[in-house]
Amino acid sequence: MRQILYVSTSTVTGDKADLVGILEQSRHNNAIDGITGLLWSDGTRFLQVIEGPTASIDSTFERILNDHRHHGLSLQHNISIRDRQFGGWTMAHRRATDPVDAYDARMRRPLAGASDAVRSPFLSLMATGTLGT
Ligand SMILES: Cc1cc2nc3c(=O)[nH]c(=O)nc-3n(C[C@H](O)[C@H](O)[C@H](O)COP(=O)(O)O)c2cc1C
């Protein structure tokens, strides 16, 4: 199995960002492709980890790379893994009305089983707005 972690910048920010569309497509496709992971967004940036069978990850990442809804994608790691770190696909999506605390709490639970290399950038972005590098 393979796991990819990347950060990118949304092309369109604010209410016009197509977060709902991205979430729908991802949940649908990933269930079929056996991909699990986590997507974080503050409406401006994305941080995503995807994991699953190598062939599925390769084709999904190829589509994500070519998606014009974001740009400046920076690969943090692309590694071989033995076990999944995200048992179910979890994607948090903060609506304007959601309190920030509730959103962060939803992200922390799936992150509990992740490696430090994956957990650190998520927690750092949520807490400080930077990757901490
Ligand atoms: C930040 C971001 C994350 C995405 N994550 C996924 C994903 O996990 N799985 C997926 O299939 N598509 C994901 N997509 C969408 C793909 O880029 C692509 O639009 C989609 O897979 C096409 O699916 P379709 O051919 O079924 O419409 C993501 C797009 C963006 C911008």
Side-chain angles (χ1 to χ4, degrees):
M1 280 204 293
R2 191 143 278 278
Q3 184 188 68
I4 284 180
L5 175 73
Y6 73 84
V7 62
S8 66
T9 304
S10 183
T11 315
V12 192
T13 56
D15 289 347
K16 291 206 166 63
D18 186 24
L19 269 174
V20 175
I22 292 170
L23 286 166
E24 273 177 11
Q25 272 179 327
S26 302
R27 286 181 179 140
H28 175 82
N29 292 341
N30 292 350
I32 294 167
D33 297 335
I35 290 177
T36 50
L38 185 64
L39 174 69
W40 176 92
S41 177
D42 59 0
T44 303
R45 281 163 306 172
F46 294 109
L47 179 64
Q48 188 179 35
V49 56
I50 52 172
E51 63 188 14
T54 302
S56 296
I57 291 295
D58 286 351
S59 55
T60 297
F61 190 55
E62 181 78 27
R63 293 199 307 275
I64 292 174
L65 266 178
N66 292 318
D67 195 314
H68 296 296
R69 291 172 290 188
H70 63 171
H71 66 100
L73 189 151
S74 165
L75 191 63
Q76 307 292 299
H77 76 216
N78 178 352
I79 56 168
S80 167
I81 52 166
R82 191 186 297 265
D83 302 308
R84 286 181 195 274
Q85 292 170 15
F86 300 89
W89 176 257
T90 314
M91 282 211 275
H93 167 217
R94 176 148 65 95
R95 290 176 293 263
T97 49
D98 280 353
V100 175
D101 286 356
Y103 175 74
D104 286 355
R106 277 212 302 275
M107 302 295 285
R108 273 172 218 278
R109 199 132 34 107
L111 282 173
S115 68
D116 194 48
V118 171
R119 190 167 50 239
S120 297
F122 277 98
L123 294 181
S124 180
L125 258 186
M126 287 191 293
T128 68
T130 70
L131 279 177
T133 48

